[in-house]
């Protein structure tokens, strides 16, 4: 038995579907276009809906990139974040900006961990290296951040 082609949404239904998706989480324009493409009457109708959502600031690639970078920064570095954003249809400049912001917050987090753990700096450089390696290994901080924090430590 052959199933019939899926019925296309009217512009109002398509807008409601887009808003439901955006209410759950931020989406990039490319993601939303891919998800709504099967339900739109035409590509022009979909593009005009996405333009209207962007015009009302309900759809923003910059906001999506910032949120996604924040989530990924807990586990990954700037290059992995940049690659993930590019694969989700974010332009290179926006992906670079979001990845740089995540890398900066990564360094701040590493410094805060060091300062909480060791109120006074160790006596020698070897003690400092050992203490930082131990702290950053336990907390899961990536080694480039750990090296930068050790260099910045008193």
């Amino acid at each position: 038995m052959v199933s019939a082609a899926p019925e296309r949404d009217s512009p109002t239904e398509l807008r409601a579907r887009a808003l439901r998706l955006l209410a759950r989480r931020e989406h990039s324009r490319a993601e939303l276009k891919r998800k709504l493409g099967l339900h739109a009457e035409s590509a022009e109708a979909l593009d005009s809906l996405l333009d209207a959502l962007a015009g009302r600031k309900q759809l923003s690639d910059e906001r999506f990139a910032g949120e996604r970078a924040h989530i990924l920064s807990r586990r990954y570095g700037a290059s992995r974040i940049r690659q993930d954003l590019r694969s989700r249809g974010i332009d290179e400049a926006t992906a670079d900006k979001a990845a740089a912001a995540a890398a900066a917050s990564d360094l701040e987090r590493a410094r805060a961990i060091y300062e909480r753990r060791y109120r006074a700096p160790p006596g020698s450089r070897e003690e400092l290296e050992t203490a930082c390696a131990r702290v950053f290994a336990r907390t899961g901080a990536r080694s480039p951040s750990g090296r930068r924090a050790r260099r910045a430590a008193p």
Side-chain angles (χ1 to χ4, degrees):
M1 179 174 190
V2 177
S3 63
E7 203 170 301
R8 304 296 179 172
D9 289 347
S10 70
T12 306
E13 292 169 334
L14 189 64
R15 183 176 186 280
R17 186 182 296 272
L19 291 175
R20 278 195 307 271
L21 288 170
L22 288 170
R24 290 187 192 126
R25 70 170 177 88
E26 290 291 335
H27 286 73
S28 69
R29 184 181 179 100
E31 279 183 325
L32 207 55
K33 188 172 186 172
R34 180 183 52 80
K35 287 182 178 185
L36 296 174
L38 298 174
H39 305 284
E41 292 175 345
S42 67
E44 294 80 25
L46 180 56
D47 285 335
S48 68
L49 171 67
L50 294 177
D51 290 339
L53 291 172
R56 287 189 211 104
K57 307 237 186 281
Q58 293 172 318
L59 175 64
S60 169
D61 280 350
E62 291 81 16
R63 199 169 50 230
F64 168 77
E67 181 179 302
R68 183 75 182 156
H70 177 72
I71 290 168
L72 292 176
S73 70
R74 296 178 190 143
R75 298 194 67 174
Y76 303 111
S79 61
R80 174 71 184 263
I81 292 169
R82 189 177 303 108
Q83 185 271 330
D84 181 80
L85 292 173
R86 294 289 296 142
S87 72
R88 291 173 181 269
I90 301 298
D91 65 276
E92 192 169 342
T94 305
D96 288 344
K97 184 178 174 184
S105 67
D106 189 34
L107 177 58
E108 291 169 14
R109 197 169 43 250
R111 283 184 181 150
I113 290 169
Y114 178 85
E115 289 170 3
R116 271 196 320 263
R117 181 80 164 112
Y118 298 102
R119 305 241 183 257
S124 69
R125 188 71 184 167
E126 288 110 24
E127 288 177 33
L128 176 66
E129 292 290 328
T130 304
C132 286
R134 200 171 30 243
V135 169
F136 295 125
R138 238 183 315 202
T139 60
R142 291 171 286 293
S143 60
S145 298
R147 284 193 295 271
R148 287 188 301 228
R150 286 192 298 269
R151 276 188 235 120

